């Protein structure tokens, strides 16, 4: 099967479920670009070594997400793929997800010149009569589930390899915005699940169920540091809208980290 787009994944100490999804993607006819940030365990390399359509990359150590996503996207571009679907290793997808995203790309080829990425999720996968449930422009989006238009990524110099984990996706969104490229969101992708394999805990907060994760102090400091760098870039590039969006995002993040700690303290 000759697929129009490729799939990219960055791994770090992955579980068996990832190997099953990679096998599914290969069986569906996709070429895989896999960057391994934990090559010492050999799991991903052993899998890719026996698969002709699996392109394996590693620096022999954990070099973070910015460098790794840039690598898989650039390699796919120089192999003549126009677009790449990126998934985190713990994002669940099935064949319907992959077919849906590829068909979206084929049926909306005209938008490739104006967008750097379209992020897919299943937030409105039920019946939805509103057109903005199907597709809308967004300012901030996470990387997992993103369909990257590789020619446009090349124009903005790919992802920023100086961002290790925190805010890699938001820096990409800012860079896209500063270069007049849009980010789109399609929220009706079937089979897409970014929650079930996350180590979040379900709590009832103010009468509503919410998934919370208590991050370490080191991780919180990393997020604050990366966000501060983004705020400085927003100022130097005179992007006031993005500056406000990052302030709001950081405030929400810190608020829920405080709530998670309070809940743990009293339970």
């Amino acid at each position: 099967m000759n697929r129009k787009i490729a799939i990219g994944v960055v791994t770090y100490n992955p579980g068996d479920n990832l190997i099953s999804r990679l096998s599914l993607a290969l069986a569906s006819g996709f070429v895989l670009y896999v960057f391994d940030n934990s090559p010492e365990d050999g799991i991903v390399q052993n899998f890719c070594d026996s698969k002709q359509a699996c392109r394996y990359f590693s620096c022999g150590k954990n070099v973070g997400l910015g460098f790794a996503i840039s690598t898989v996207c650039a390699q796919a571009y120089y192999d003549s793929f126009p677009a790449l679907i990126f998934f985190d290793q713990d994002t669940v997808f099935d064949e319907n997800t992959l077919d849906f995203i590829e068909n979206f790309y084929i049926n909306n080829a005209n938008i490739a010149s104006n967008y750097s990425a379209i992020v897919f999720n299943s937030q409105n996968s039920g019946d939805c009569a509103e057109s903005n449930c199907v597709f809308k422009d967004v300012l901030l989006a996470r990387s997992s589930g993103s369909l990257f238009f590789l020619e446009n990524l090349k124009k903005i110099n790919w992802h920023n390899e100086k961002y290790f984990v925190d805010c890699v996706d938001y820096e990409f969104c800012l860079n896209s915005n500063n270069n007049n490229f849009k980010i789109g969101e399609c929220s009706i992708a079937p089979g897409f699940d970014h929650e079930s394999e996350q180590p979040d805990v379900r709590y009832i907060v103010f009468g509503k169920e919410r998934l919370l994760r208590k991050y370490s102090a080191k991780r919180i400091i990393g997020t604050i540091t990366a966000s501060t760098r983004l705020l400085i870039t927003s100022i130097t590039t005179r992007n006031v809208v993005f500056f406000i969006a990052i302030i709001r995002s950081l405030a929400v993040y810190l608020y829920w980290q405080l709530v998670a700690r309070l809940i743990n303290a009293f339970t």
Side-chain angles (χ1 to χ4, degrees):
M1 187 181 299
N2 185 21
R3 293 291 189 170
K4 303 296 183 183
I5 56 181
I7 295 176
V9 180
V10 175
T11 69
Y12 181 75
N13 295 330
D16 294 336
N17 290 342
L18 172 66
I19 300 301
S20 298
R21 287 193 289 273
L22 296 183
S23 297
L24 180 148
L26 289 174
S28 299
F30 288 90
V31 175
L32 294 179
Y33 291 81
V34 182
F35 194 101
D36 189 0
N37 268 328
S38 55
E40 61 279 354
D41 62 25
I43 295 173
V44 176
Q45 184 176 10
N46 292 338
F47 171 83
C48 289
D49 280 350
S50 61
K51 308 295 189 300
Q52 185 177 4
C54 189
R55 315 283 194 260
Y56 176 86
F57 308 94
S58 179
C59 286
K61 60 183 179 180
N62 185 4
V63 294
L65 284 177
F67 185 93
I69 299 176
S70 288
T71 298
V72 297
C73 288
Q75 292 296 325
Y77 172 79
Y78 287 109
D79 285 343
S80 300
F81 280 103
L84 174 141
I85 317 167
F86 178 79
F87 292 108
D88 285 346
Q89 65 179 28
D90 48 12
T91 296
V92 177
F93 60 83
D94 58 26
E95 189 172 1
N96 291 327
T97 317
L98 303 180
D99 288 341
F100 179 88
I101 296 174
E102 184 177 54
N103 288 333
F104 182 97
Y105 169 77
I106 294 171
N107 295 329
N108 296 277
N110 59 305
I111 70 174
S113 60
N114 297 319
Y115 288 81
S116 60
I118 308 296
V119 62
F120 292 84
N121 57 57
S122 59
Q123 292 176 2
N124 294 296
S125 57
D127 293 335
C128 180
E130 300 296 330
S131 60
N132 64 0
C133 290
V134 178
F135 182 79
K136 63 181 179 181
D137 291 344
V138 294
L139 190 64
L140 301 177
R142 65 187 176 210
S143 297
S144 189
S146 290
L147 175 69
F148 292 121
F149 297 110
L150 301 180
E151 180 67 37
N152 295 339
L153 265 63
K154 181 176 182 292
K155 291 178 181 178
I156 66 174
N157 201 28
W158 313 105
H159 284 71
N160 191 332
E161 68 275 8
K162 295 180 180 179
Y163 282 73
F164 193 79
V165 175
D166 299 302
C167 296
V168 169
D169 43 9
Y170 287 178
E171 194 282 334
F172 171 79
C173 293
L174 173 59
N175 193 21
S176 296
N177 190 272
N178 285 339
N179 284 275
N180 299 314
F181 287 115
K182 301 176 183 179
I183 306 288
E185 180 185 55
C186 178
S187 55
I188 57 170
F192 185 97
D193 177 5
H194 192 67
E195 294 182 355
S196 63
E197 293 191 12
Q198 299 288 331
D200 298 349
V201 179
R202 295 183 183 275
Y203 294 103
I204 303 298
V205 182
F206 304 128
K208 294 184 178 180
E209 185 178 76
R210 187 170 184 96
L211 290 170
L212 295 177
R213 186 190 318 182
K214 179 185 174 183
Y215 286 107
S216 66
K218 181 179 179 180
R219 182 66 185 272
I220 293 174
I221 292 172
T223 299
I224 294 172
T225 301
S227 297
T228 301
R229 292 172 62 190
L230 281 181
L231 291 171
I232 293 171
T233 303
S234 299
I235 293 171
T236 58
T237 57
R238 300 181 181 180
N239 195 326
V240 178
V241 173
F242 208 94
F243 180 90
I244 295 171
I246 292 299
I247 286 286
R248 182 184 295 115
S249 175
L250 180 60
V252 170
Y253 170 83
L254 294 175
Y255 170 78
W256 286 113
Q257 285 303 301
L258 176 61
V259 170
R261 280 161 168 73
L262 289 174
I263 290 175
N264 286 339
F266 291 99
T267 58

